Amino acid sequence: LGTIISPAWQNSQEGTREKVRLKTIQLIKIISKLPELTHDQVRQVIGITINGIIGYYAGGTVLTMKDCQAIEAARMDALRNRGFCLGAPALQLYEEVSKHGLGHRHAYAIAAATYLDRIDKALQAPEGHPQRTAIESAIAENAWRLGCRTQSPLSWYPTHTQQELDENNMIEAWYQ
């Protein structure tokens, strides 16, 4: 899916993360310069852009909160430059329109939903399917390494290691 993974395990997904950040921010800046768009149109077009780019890449690349905050900062700048909001209105920006918010969806929510959906689809594949076998094996290996000994790796959750999980490990990111 266009995911760049370096041979080194540490920061192996950084190439794709950078591509996602740069491409999304670049498009947000372009969208914000379209003079005739209303706020609702800007919200929709930026939403489609973020959903499309993240939806494409986040199924195979774990986007971090830091990645998504960079995208959200670009969105905030774009809205501020257009006069659609002042300051840094986090609650107002993400609150539903019906509750007097601007109705945007945070990039991290999109990234997390996309990644979790991809894992879930793999786990729902038919028994013996390569996709299911690969994900079950990766979960089992990581669960064992993190201390799972008495229950199924699919139902186990490493609450004792939450602060130590590595976002570069795709299964540890799934546990987060």
Side-chain angles (χ1 to χ4, degrees):
L1 290 178
T3 300
I4 303 162
I5 298 180
S6 71
W9 182 255
Q10 192 64 23
N11 297 318
S12 63
Q13 300 179 54
E14 188 55 38
T16 302
R17 287 179 179 150
E18 183 176 0
K19 185 177 185 177
V20 170
R21 283 190 310 267
L22 294 176
K23 185 178 286 195
T24 307
I25 290 168
Q26 180 182 40
L27 288 172
I28 288 171
K29 288 178 180 180
I30 291 168
I31 293 163
S32 74
K33 293 178 182 175
L34 299 173
E36 301 300 319
L37 296 182
T38 65
H39 170 262
D40 193 47
Q41 291 169 325
V42 169
R43 178 181 55 81
Q44 288 176 1
V45 175
I46 288 177
I48 290 167
T49 299
I50 292 173
N51 277 313
I53 294 171
I54 289 178
Y56 181 77
Y57 288 101
T61 301
V62 179
L63 296 178
T64 66
M65 179 60 85
K66 183 179 174 184
D67 298 323
C68 294
Q69 286 171 335
I71 292 167
E72 291 303 322
R75 182 196 321 240
M76 189 74 67
D77 287 345
L79 295 174
R80 197 176 309 116
N81 291 341
R82 289 293 305 272
F84 295 139
C85 67
L86 302 172
L91 179 59
Q92 179 191 17
L93 185 64
Y94 305 111
E95 189 64 67
E96 297 173 22
V97 174
S98 64
K99 295 180 181 178
H100 308 289
L102 297 176
H104 294 265
R105 189 166 172 221
H106 199 285
Y108 194 73
I110 297 164
T114 302
Y115 189 69
L116 293 175
D117 179 63
R118 191 62 53 95
I119 298 283
D120 189 53
K121 283 180 180 173
L123 290 171
Q124 298 303 316
E127 189 73 35
H129 190 277
Q131 183 180 13
R132 180 173 176 169
T133 303
I135 199 68
E136 285 177 342
S137 175
I139 291 170
E141 287 175 23
N142 279 274
W144 180 264
R145 186 177 44 75
L146 294 170
C148 176
R149 300 290 188 273
T150 60
Q151 64 189 94
S152 164
L154 294 175
S155 62
W156 180 75
Y157 187 72
T159 56
H160 65 289
T161 61
Q162 281 297 301
Q163 301 303 318
E164 301 162 21
L165 296 176
D166 181 6
E167 292 177 319
N168 283 303
N169 178 312
M170 297 179 83
I171 301 304
E172 288 186 28
W174 176 66
Y175 280 131
Q176 293 177 332

